[in-house]
């Protein structure tokens, strides 16, 4: 079945695909970008991602870094069946002809030593230039190279990772109580991203730095992840910034349809009745 945005409900400039309304008939698209899945951590929403990959057929699947959380697994091995199911779904797509391009990130940086390796229909690399159907070129990177904390103060990055995991742990218990009381899902980390001025400034500065580097690359757009903040932002400098978000809280992905148009889609939580807008 072809990808038709108008058939799906609109949610704040994005396409919202509720689990209970998802069609069993596969949707054919040209390209999919997913980022920051963090398999190996308790925050990963593996079941939802497996369902998403079941619904959508694509010619090319980009895994835009931090698919496996090596940082978390160094401390404690956590790998339930749902995480294996995601890997199987990806490999099944590759077996059936989908080109899978794995962009390395900072949480799976142990794979960077193998950058350039291709096995089967899976290609491992640190960056990639993708050409849309309309001929425009997109630079695909994870984005951690534009995060000064990750690059210059690695210990602080680990501290931030611990703090984020702690917030997610609190969020799980908090929303368990909210669900029992009949309330919908509420994200503390998303609230902090939108309300704390320093966090908002960091996101804006990150997007600008990535876009400026994309111009130097001679491309018309850049796709990244890393900051768990799905966004499509056009810059006056003639380049478009795309962030495909994450599969921990946003449950979002970037899709190129068969006509070459790009859409930011959000896979809604089955228990979620309302949420903070992703674009504000």
């Amino acid at each position: 079945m072809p990808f038709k945005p108008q058939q799906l409900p609109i949610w704040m400039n994005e396409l919202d695909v509720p689990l209970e309304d998802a069609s069993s008939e596969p949707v054919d698209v040209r390209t999919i970008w997913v980022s920051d899945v963090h398999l190996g951590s308790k925050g990963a929403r593996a079941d939802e991602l497996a369902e998403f990959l079941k619904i959508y057929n694509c010619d090319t699947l980009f895994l835009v870094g931090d698919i496996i959380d090596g940082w978390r697994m160094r401390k404690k091995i956590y790998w339930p069946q749902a995480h294996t199911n995601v890997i199987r779904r990806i490999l099944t797509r590759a077996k059936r002809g989908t080109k899978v391009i794995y962009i390395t990130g900072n949480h799976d940086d142990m794979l960077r030593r193998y950058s350039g390796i291709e096995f089967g229909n899976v290609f491992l690399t640190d960056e990639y230039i993708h050409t849309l159907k309309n001929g425009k070129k997109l630079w695909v990177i994870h984005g951690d190279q534009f995060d000064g904390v990750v690059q210059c103060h690695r210990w602080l990055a680990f501290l931030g990772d611990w703090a984020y995991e702690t917030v997610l742990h609190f969020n799980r218990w908090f929303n368990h109580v909210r669900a029992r009381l009949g309330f919908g899902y509420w994200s503390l980390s998303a609230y902090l991203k939108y309300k704390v001025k320093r966090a908002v400034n960091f996101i804006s500065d990150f997007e600008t730095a990535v876009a400026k580097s994309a111009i130097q690359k001679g491309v018309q757009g850049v796709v990244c992840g890393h900051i768990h903040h799905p966004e499509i932002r056009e810059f006056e400098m003639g380049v478009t910034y795309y962030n495909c978000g994450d599969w921990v809280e946003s449950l979002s992905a970037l899709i190129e349809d068969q006509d070459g148009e790009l859409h930011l889609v959000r896979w809604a939580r089955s228990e979620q009745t309302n949420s903070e807008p992703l674009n504000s």
Side-chain angles (χ1 to χ4, degrees):
M1 183 175 69
F3 179 75
K4 295 182 178 180
Q6 64 270 22
Q7 293 182 342
L8 302 175
I10 299 298
W11 188 85
M12 293 302 295
N13 299 324
E14 297 169 353
L15 306 179
D16 193 2
V17 190
L19 292 174
E20 62 271 17
D21 295 336
S23 170
S24 59
E25 184 179 358
V27 179
D28 296 317
V29 299
R30 194 168 184 265
T31 313
I32 295 176
W33 291 265
V34 297
S35 174
D36 295 270
V37 181
H38 291 275
L39 297 176
S41 74
K42 292 184 179 180
R45 299 296 293 243
D47 286 329
E48 286 88 340
L49 179 56
E51 285 296 318
F52 175 82
L53 294 175
K54 180 180 179 180
I55 292 296
Y56 288 97
N57 286 327
C58 59
D59 300 328
T60 305
L61 171 62
F62 281 96
L63 305 174
V64 194
D66 286 3
I67 304 304
I68 298 174
D69 196 330
W71 289 11
R72 188 62 46 195
M73 294 182 68
R74 288 170 189 164
K75 301 175 183 177
K76 184 178 180 180
I77 298 297
Y78 175 79
W79 196 272
Q81 182 62 42
H83 294 202
T84 299
N85 292 343
V86 170
I87 299 298
R88 285 180 174 175
R89 187 79 70 190
I90 292 170
L91 293 179
T92 298
R93 283 277 176 255
K95 182 179 179 180
R96 293 178 179 175
T98 295
K99 185 175 182 179
V100 178
I101 301 175
Y102 193 126
I103 307 293
T104 57
N106 54 304
H107 280 257
D108 45 21
D109 57 359
M110 66 283 189
L111 298 176
R112 285 181 168 163
R113 69 185 70 177
Y114 307 109
S115 181
I117 290 179
E118 187 168 5
F119 47 98
N121 230 11
V122 181
F123 180 56
L124 183 68
T125 183
D126 298 333
E127 59 180 331
Y128 194 88
I129 301 295
H130 173 72
T131 303
L132 298 173
K133 188 173 182 179
N134 58 17
K136 292 184 178 180
K137 295 185 180 298
L138 301 181
W139 180 35
V140 186
I141 54 173
H142 178 62
D144 60 293
Q145 53 268 66
F146 294 94
D147 186 341
V149 172
V150 173
Q151 294 299 316
C152 303
H153 303 284
R154 193 171 176 83
W155 67 271
L156 191 57
F158 279 109
L159 179 62
D161 178 62
W162 172 84
Y164 181 64
E165 187 71 17
T166 301
V167 169
L168 289 178
H169 179 73
F170 169 78
N171 232 41
R172 285 193 290 270
W173 284 102
F174 178 71
N175 280 289
H176 177 71
V177 174
R178 282 177 62 89
R180 293 179 67 89
L181 295 176
F183 295 101
Y185 180 85
W186 183 80
S187 171
L188 174 60
S189 65
Y191 175 83
L192 293 175
K193 284 181 182 179
Y194 286 100
K195 299 301 182 181
V196 178
K197 183 176 181 180
R198 188 169 182 178
V200 173
N201 289 341
F202 168 79
I203 291 172
S204 179
D205 291 346
F206 176 87
E207 294 173 351
T208 301
V210 174
K212 286 182 177 179
S213 289
I215 293 176
Q216 296 174 0
K217 283 281 183 178
V219 296
Q220 289 73 51
V222 56
V223 179
C224 65
H226 185 57
I227 60 173
H228 295 208
H229 184 83
E231 183 76 80
I232 297 179
R233 179 180 174 187
E234 294 186 8
F235 284 83
E236 293 181 356
M237 55 189 80
V239 67
T240 304
Y241 166 93
Y242 302 91
N243 194 303
C244 43
D246 67 279
W247 283 83
V248 176
E249 292 189 280
S250 302
L251 279 63
S252 56
L254 186 68
I255 286 179
E256 178 192 5
D257 64 25
Q258 297 293 359
D259 296 323
E261 297 294 325
L262 293 178
H263 310 270
L264 190 59
V265 300
R266 183 176 182 277
W267 190 260
R269 300 168 190 268
S270 55
E271 77 274 15
Q272 184 172 332
T273 57
N274 57 26
S275 59
E276 189 79 11
L278 295 183
N279 289 324
S280 61

